[in-house]
Amino acid sequence: MGLAKTEMFTDQQNEIATYAKVFGHPARVAILQHLFKINTCVCGDLVNEIGLAQPTISQHLKELKLLGLIKGNVEGTSVCYCIDTEKWSQMKITMFHFLNQDLSKKEDCC
């Protein structure tokens, strides 16, 4: 299997692709939506809310945390997760600039 060759692309292109990958799974979207709705929760709450197994939820949380969109604080034997508002704002700016590109109003090109 070949390498992704991410070094061939700009930092911004790699960043946008990483965001797209994270949003490419509906469970991660559901986790983010739930965190926005209730502000903070533990993995067990997400298991009950979303209906996936705990290890599956944990893996999705790991992906979101690696990207920095969420953060977790240890509370006793549990980790309490919430949206990292600073990283979320940065992501919104990056994605806005990418998604706000428009084709010129010229004739069809194809």
Side-chain angles (χ1 to χ4, degrees):
M1 189 164 168
L3 298 175
K5 297 189 179 186
T6 56
E7 70 277 356
M8 293 175 48
F9 304 99
T10 67
D11 289 344
Q12 184 184 40
Q13 290 166 335
N14 281 299
E15 185 178 21
I16 291 167
T18 302
Y19 290 137
K21 180 182 175 188
V22 166
F23 290 125
H25 198 291
R28 290 190 284 264
V29 173
I31 289 168
L32 289 167
Q33 287 175 321
H34 188 67
L35 289 175
F36 272 113
K37 184 170 68 173
I38 66 165
N39 198 35
T40 185
C41 73
V42 295
C43 183
D45 296 338
L46 291 165
V47 169
N48 294 333
E49 176 70 22
I50 296 171
L52 296 173
Q54 185 274 327
T56 305
I57 294 291
S58 291
Q59 185 61 38
H60 289 303
L61 288 167
K62 179 182 172 185
E63 292 294 322
L64 290 166
K65 193 171 179 187
L66 276 172
L67 187 55
L69 292 179
I70 66 170
K71 54 187 174 181
N73 297 316
V74 177
E75 291 185 1
T77 59
S78 301
V79 179
C80 185
Y81 293 96
C82 65
I83 302 290
D84 185 325
T85 54
E86 184 178 323
K87 184 67 176 181
W88 185 263
S89 295
Q90 292 171 357
M91 182 273 307
K92 284 175 48 177
I93 291 166
T94 299
M95 294 305 288
F96 174 80
H97 289 299
F98 176 67
L99 295 172
N100 202 39
Q101 299 176 89
D102 288 322
L103 296 173
S104 62
K105 300 294 180 190
K106 297 178 185 175
E107 299 175 28
D108 272 345
C109 62
C110 296

